[in-house]
Amino acid sequence: RAKDLGRNSYQLYTAAMNARSFERLTMESSLRHALTREEFRLVYQVKVDSEDGRMSGVEALVRWHHPEMGLVSPVDFIPLAEAMGVISDIGEWVLRTACRQCKHWMDLGLPPVRIAVNVSAQQFVETDVPEVVARALRETGLPPQYLELELTETVLMQRVDEVVAVLKSLRAMGVRISIDDFGTGYSSLSYLKRMPIDALKVDRSFVNDIFDGQSKVTEDGAEIVSTIINLAHNLKLKAIAEGVETPEQAEFLRSKGCDEVQGYLISRPVSGEDLISLFDRNLLPQGKVD
Ligand code: C2E
Ligand code: MG
Ligand code: MG
Ligand code: MG
């Protein structure tokens, strides 16, 4: 549908927009072949326990290495993949690759760690997620309790009864569910209460607003983050913060009871091999262990 719209309004485009839509068309045709040409890679970013700074989980993030365009951000190609109807194929590859990597770390004798995989809202509606997840687990031999799915609030706003049923069957398998970028969507609190989920991830924009440019706590920013952490705990969910870049932010989050933190302060996303050196130690630079 989106594609037809683009084609019909094509003549109306200005020269500048023509250049952009040309780029988009180029990207579209190459995205169609990216999977078979093996142009996707996964990188991994740790999540740590905010008390002891130790790895509590890992998030898989997809990267597209285009032969001419270079590295294309998921922010740019995921929405395109959704519009083109290829997100589910990419999503299944991501899921299988992430599970295989996690099982590989285990087989190396590293302490078992949970792997989180992002599932797009479009992928969630167009595929039988429990079936795809079961297949990935079966093919890779990863025990279900080591898999976590990160969903956005958009998913929760779809047909509630169906979503609840899908989430229930995933959790019955032992898979964990967290809500990504929490606070940026429009999910209602009454829906949230009905959702069988395990954790809320405070969006990085809120983490960024805790302090002003002079490292002073901002009243509103700090209040919003504390409120989300308390909301999670009142609903018996874990609270996790993404986009943590400074020791002050990490300390603030710890003091408010945020269970886990993730961000450039602790580690950038790295290759599966480079992640090995991050196991088994305190990754918080100013981490307090009392
Ligand atoms: P997300 O799931 O909320 O992932 C967090 C994004 O923030 C990642 O960007 C990560 O690299 C970045 N990030 C992590 N720590 C910091 C920090 O301290 N500061 C800043 N400024 N950024 C930080 P990335 O990898 O470009 O991914 C962007 C988004 O693309 C993800 O947001 C997720 O929504 C989507 N995405 C990534 N991989 C996948 C995937 O395999 N499947 C699907 N459906 N979506 C994906
Ligand atoms: Mg995520
Ligand atoms: Mg996130
Ligand atoms: Mg985010």
Side-chain angles (χ1 to χ4, degrees), residues 59 61 118 150 179-182 201-204 242 262:
E59 178 175 4
L61 296 158
N118 294 285
E150 295 194 3
I179 304 306
D180 208 351
D181 305 330
F182 187 78
K201 284 188 86 172
V202 181
D203 188 62
R204 101 170 165 243
E242 64 174 25
Q262 181 183 21

Side-chain angles (χ1 to χ4, degrees), residues 120-172:
S120 93
Q122 181 65 31
Q123 184 188 352
F124 196 88
V125 288
E126 69 185 31
T127 58
D128 182 344
V129 179
E131 155 107 34
V132 171
V133 164
R135 188 158 58 225
L137 293 170
R138 198 168 55 234
E139 285 176 10
T140 61
L142 182 74
Q145 67 268 30
Y146 294 113
L147 179 63
E148 175 170 346
L149 301 183
E150 295 194 3
L151 311 173
T152 57
E153 286 172 89
T154 323
V155 170
L156 305 188
M157 288 159 13
Q158 287 147 10
R159 276 157 302 192
V160 180
D161 294 326
E162 286 172 41
V163 173
V164 169
V166 171
L167 298 185
K168 271 193 178 147
S169 71
L170 285 165
R171 283 177 96 223

